[in-house]
Amino acid sequence: NAGVTQTPKFRILKIGQSMTLQCTQDMNHNYMYWYRQDPGMGLKLIYYSVGAGITDKGEVPNGYNVSRSTTEDFPLRLELAAPSQTSVYFCASLRAADSYEQYFGPGTRLTVT
Amino acid sequence: GIQVEQSPPDLILQEGANSTLRCNFSDSVNNLQWFHQNPWGQLINLFYIPSGTKQNGRLSATTVATERYSLLYISSSQTTDSGVYFCAVASRDTGRRALTFGSGTRLQVQP
């Protein structure tokens, strides 16, 4: 199993541009999450999904959108990028049936200038 | 929401020393995980430990859920142990099972 994979690893955006961060897991996990980590801080929840077709907001959802059309994929969309969205973005998943342990991807480092 | 406090915020050790990192949380949890974030930003899952004690090589962790704290022990520290250690918990009260992270303990191990 590859686990949780994220693309791209790095990206630089200009203010006002849009992009999609990709997240895929091959563990058949039903719960998936997007977190962001600002410099010197812990991670904060942006959006989460408890299964295909079901998504909900976390603590810091403004400026982002998500979709969950399949169990495997959970893309995060940034519309009209702003400097405040400069951060490292982590995707995670968990199985839920027998454990609460979350598995994290390697992260995407995004800079908005 | 649930609060997570980690101490100490910063720690400098000589190679070979032992250390204890603490995580206090404000509510009942059904998940507690310890992570090591290395200098390249990679988040490494150390322990999934909502209760009890686990050991993995030089690292061990104990969670006392009834008293709402967890401890991470690092023995015979090495320079590769440097980085930030995060404690993260999922509150028992929410169905989303999302993790709330502490602010981390920044560890520097000097040769």
Side-chain angles (χ1 to χ4, degrees), chain B residues 4-6 21-25 32 34 68-70 87:
Chain B
V4 183
E5 294 183 358
Q6 291 187 242
L21 282 57
R22 187 177 179 101
C23 172
N24 293 333
F25 44 94
L32 189 146
W34 282 98
R68 299 182 182 172
Y69 74 89
S70 183
C87 169

Side-chain angles (χ1 to χ4, degrees), chain B residues 15-64:
Chain B
E15 202 167 22
N18 303 329
S19 62
T20 301
L21 282 57
R22 187 177 179 101
C23 172
N24 293 333
F25 44 94
S26 62
D27 206 349
S28 299
V29 299
N30 51 28
N31 180 13
L32 189 146
Q33 291 181 246
W34 282 98
F35 297 91
H36 174 214
Q37 189 165 42
N38 63 24
W40 296 270
Q42 187 181 10
L43 206 60
I44 299 165
N45 191 358
L46 297 177
F47 293 103
Y48 166 63
I49 187 166
S51 64
T53 297
K54 290 185 177 180
Q55 181 156 7
N56 184 3
R58 297 181 295 104
L59 273 60
S60 64
T62 295
T63 297
V64 184

Side-chain angles (χ1 to χ4, degrees), chain B residues 69-84:
Chain B
Y69 74 89
S70 183
L71 302 174
L72 178 68
Y73 305 95
I74 304 174
S75 64
S76 304
S77 58
Q78 300 176 358
T79 56
T80 52
D81 294 331
S82 297
V84 182

